[in-house]
Amino acid sequence: MRRIARPVPTFRSRPTLSQVGRCKKSTLVSPADLQFGQPLHETHPHLIRPGDLTPGISALEYHHRRAALTRKLPHNSVAILAASDIKYRSGAVFYEFHQEPNFFYLTGFTEPEAVAVIEKGSSDVEYTFHLFVRPKDEKAELWDGARSGVQAAQDVFNADEAWNINDVSSKLPKLLSESRSVFTDIGGHGAKKSAFSRFIAGSDPKVDGLAKLLQSANVKPLRPIMNELRVEKSEAELACMRKAGHISGAVITEAMRGSYRTEKQLWADLAYGFRTQGLDGEAYVPVVAGGRNALSIHYVRNDDVLRDGEVVLVDAGGEYGGYITDITRTWPVNGRFTAPQRDMYEMILKAQRSCVSLCREDADTTLDKLHRVAEDSLRNGLKDLGFETSGNALDVLFPHHVGHYIGLDVHDAPGHPRTNRLLENQCITIEPGIYVPDDDRWPTHFRGLGIRIEDSVRIGKEKVEVLTATAVKDVHEIEALGS
């Protein structure tokens, strides 16, 4: 069992790549001679600070996260998490890899085909961290790039015991037999194609997959516990989110200055801006919706023309160190709002600001309470604009919730109750919107208009922190950019 982690990784080398992860006898070498499956300070000092395992997050913080999970587990139990697998578009053409968020949160390990096991015995403060990873393989690395390997799982990622991923079937049964309960979300649903996916799912009749090994164990869901851990952000996490929010907001503000003929051109400039200004890339596939395209909440084709006299709704954000930012802004394609567009926009902005002002712990609120505040404000505002708001009017015009948790996921801590009180250092979005169908039920001059305004917000004790304030949203500020 361990109590503390090595806060700064220790690097060692073996004579050849094929021997790394098998030979324990080692000598210290220059970091320039080392290769790993992800950036580290010794190999990428321009990306990773000393002591950090991933951008902005230290090796010690990852230990504290595992220790926090351990405190929530009952005695003599284990938590088991699997890394994401590589997803293929067709043949050998793969999608960009994105690590499973809970696995990443506890390990900082960003490679596929890995399993983490956190074992708790009779102590509330000690745990054993087992990490199964791909071994070093010269032939595979020739094609797919460097792997960290088994030895680095200990030396770099602070595993107490590290194993070849192919040893899971032989090593895991003993851990399971000694545990009274197993916490995991491994279930094996959905279409799987790779060998690792079939192993995790247990869908290969020739292989005793991980899911099959768990069938005889007392299995309980891990996600609710992970949600409790992830929903409150540390100072290091907040720093990552502030950077993502600040840069993303500035990129969107700069885009408002531009003159674009197509949604695709605007999308390209946003993606370029996020990466060139210091972020890792896009946090999600953005919505770049001109005119009536904004009536589809998750419109992501982004292939239409932008027309003079219409507005464009942009829901986009960048990612830093795995942490995302979520922003929506709506602005006129030609730089000037029409009177109906301005009236609707300012009404929605008023509702948004009312909700943002309540994002404080001392306001004693929840996501569902904030939604009701948004509904009341929008309903009253729509009445003033000449809308009939009886019956299901608001369900049609405002069909989504006003906010959600954010962090490593765009919708962070999935399943965490919206009825829970919002506490300091939790992060959410506030995103009221109105989407007016082309229907005789609604005033003519508003039909086909879709407007949403969204910010990422940190819950403060007594004061709100808007993480995306660099994205302007006042009418006069927006119009000044286009003039």
Side-chain angles (χ1 to χ4, degrees), residues 30-140:
S30 168
D33 296 329
L34 305 176
Q35 290 188 344
F36 298 93
Q38 66 190 76
L40 300 171
H41 171 70
E42 281 70 10
T43 59
H44 292 70
H46 59 295
L47 297 179
I48 311 290
R49 299 176 307 191
D52 284 357
L53 200 53
T54 60
I57 309 296
S58 69
L60 187 58
E61 176 154 334
Y62 283 105
H63 156 67
H64 287 317
R65 293 174 179 181
R66 294 189 292 271
L69 171 62
T70 301
R71 290 192 292 272
K72 289 182 176 292
L73 296 176
H75 292 157
N76 301 310
S77 63
V78 295
I80 303 176
L81 305 95
S84 292
D85 193 22
I86 297 172
K87 302 296 190 299
Y88 289 89
R89 297 178 60 174
S90 62
V93 181
F94 49 83
Y95 289 101
E96 182 178 7
F97 180 77
H98 182 76
Q99 188 59 282
E100 199 284 319
N102 285 333
F103 181 93
F104 177 80
Y105 180 85
L106 293 173
T107 68
F109 191 73
T110 63
E111 296 180 45
E113 297 184 37
V115 171
V117 180
I118 297 170
E119 179 187 8
K120 177 176 180 176
S122 58
S123 169
D124 284 326
V125 296
E126 296 180 338
Y127 69 88
T128 302
F129 175 32
H130 308 263
L131 190 56
F132 297 82
V133 302
R134 300 176 303 178
K136 301 294 287 185
D137 184 323
E138 290 184 5
K139 184 176 180 180

Side-chain angles (χ1 to χ4, degrees), residues 141-356:
E141 292 177 73
L142 172 66
W143 287 94
D144 301 325
R147 296 177 176 184
S148 294
V150 176
Q151 188 62 47
Q154 287 187 303
D155 291 345
V156 179
F157 297 93
N158 288 313
D160 296 296
E161 296 184 352
W163 313 97
N164 185 318
I165 186 62
N166 297 316
D167 294 334
V168 169
S169 295
S170 61
K171 300 291 183 182
L172 193 60
K174 184 176 186 295
L175 294 175
L176 295 177
S177 67
E178 296 174 349
S179 301
R180 294 178 183 174
S181 53
V182 176
F183 290 80
T184 187
D185 297 316
I186 295 170
H189 300 292
K192 308 290 186 179
K193 293 185 178 180
S194 77
F196 180 69
S197 291
R198 291 196 302 271
F199 166 73
I200 293 298
S203 58
D204 188 338
K206 299 179 181 179
V207 178
D208 286 333
L210 185 51
K212 288 185 178 180
L213 294 175
L214 295 173
Q215 287 177 357
S216 61
N218 178 22
V219 176
K220 300 179 181 180
L222 178 61
R223 178 176 290 177
I225 299 175
M226 293 303 304
N227 284 348
E228 291 177 8
L229 295 175
R230 285 175 51 186
V231 76
E232 182 176 338
K233 303 301 186 288
S234 69
E235 283 302 316
E237 291 179 290
L238 290 172
C240 289
M241 296 181 71
R242 288 183 181 112
K243 180 170 182 174
H246 183 87
I247 293 175
S248 296
V251 168
I252 289 175
T253 294
E254 186 61 29
M256 293 182 192
R257 301 181 189 273
S259 177
Y260 298 96
R261 295 190 305 108
T262 67
E263 295 168 347
K264 188 175 293 186
Q265 288 174 330
L266 176 49
W267 180 10
D269 263 14
L270 292 170
Y272 178 80
F274 295 151
R275 287 187 181 275
T276 58
Q277 296 304 309
L279 301 184
D280 300 329
E282 295 172 290
Y284 49 91
V285 179
V287 174
V288 183
R292 295 173 186 268
N293 293 330
L295 302 185
S296 298
I297 310 302
H298 287 160
Y299 169 85
V300 293
R301 283 173 47 183
N302 306 336
D303 60 1
D304 208 345
V305 297
L306 296 173
R307 298 172 177 86
D308 184 67
E310 295 184 337
V311 297
V312 58
L313 185 156
V314 171
D315 187 339
E319 175 182 311
Y320 179 72
Y323 290 86
I324 67 93
T325 189
D326 198 353
I327 310 173
T328 305
R329 290 294 186 266
T330 310
W331 67 89
V333 172
N334 64 12
R336 306 293 296 182
F337 288 95
T338 65
Q341 291 168 356
R342 181 182 294 105
D343 290 343
M344 181 66 77
Y345 184 94
E346 290 184 331
M347 185 274 291
I348 296 170
L349 181 58
K350 180 180 178 181
Q352 202 244 9
R353 283 184 163 147
S354 295
C355 291
V356 169

Side-chain angles (χ1 to χ4, degrees), residues 338-413:
T338 65
Q341 291 168 356
R342 181 182 294 105
D343 290 343
M344 181 66 77
Y345 184 94
E346 290 184 331
M347 185 274 291
I348 296 170
L349 181 58
K350 180 180 178 181
Q352 202 244 9
R353 283 184 163 147
S354 295
C355 291
V356 169
S357 70
L358 296 173
C359 293
R360 314 181 314 271
E361 185 173 313
D362 65 4
D364 191 23
T365 192
T366 68
L367 274 171
D368 278 351
K369 286 182 180 179
L370 289 173
H371 185 72
R372 290 193 288 273
V373 170
E375 285 185 320
D376 290 343
S377 181
L378 293 173
R379 184 180 293 107
N380 293 332
L382 288 168
K383 285 180 181 178
D384 291 342
L385 294 178
F387 282 76
E388 173 56 54
T389 59
S390 60
N392 70 339
L394 207 58
D395 291 335
V396 173
L397 298 171
F398 178 39
H400 58 79
H401 203 277
V402 77
H404 52 80
Y405 295 100
I406 54 171
L408 287 174
D409 282 319
V410 180
H411 287 253
D412 207 41

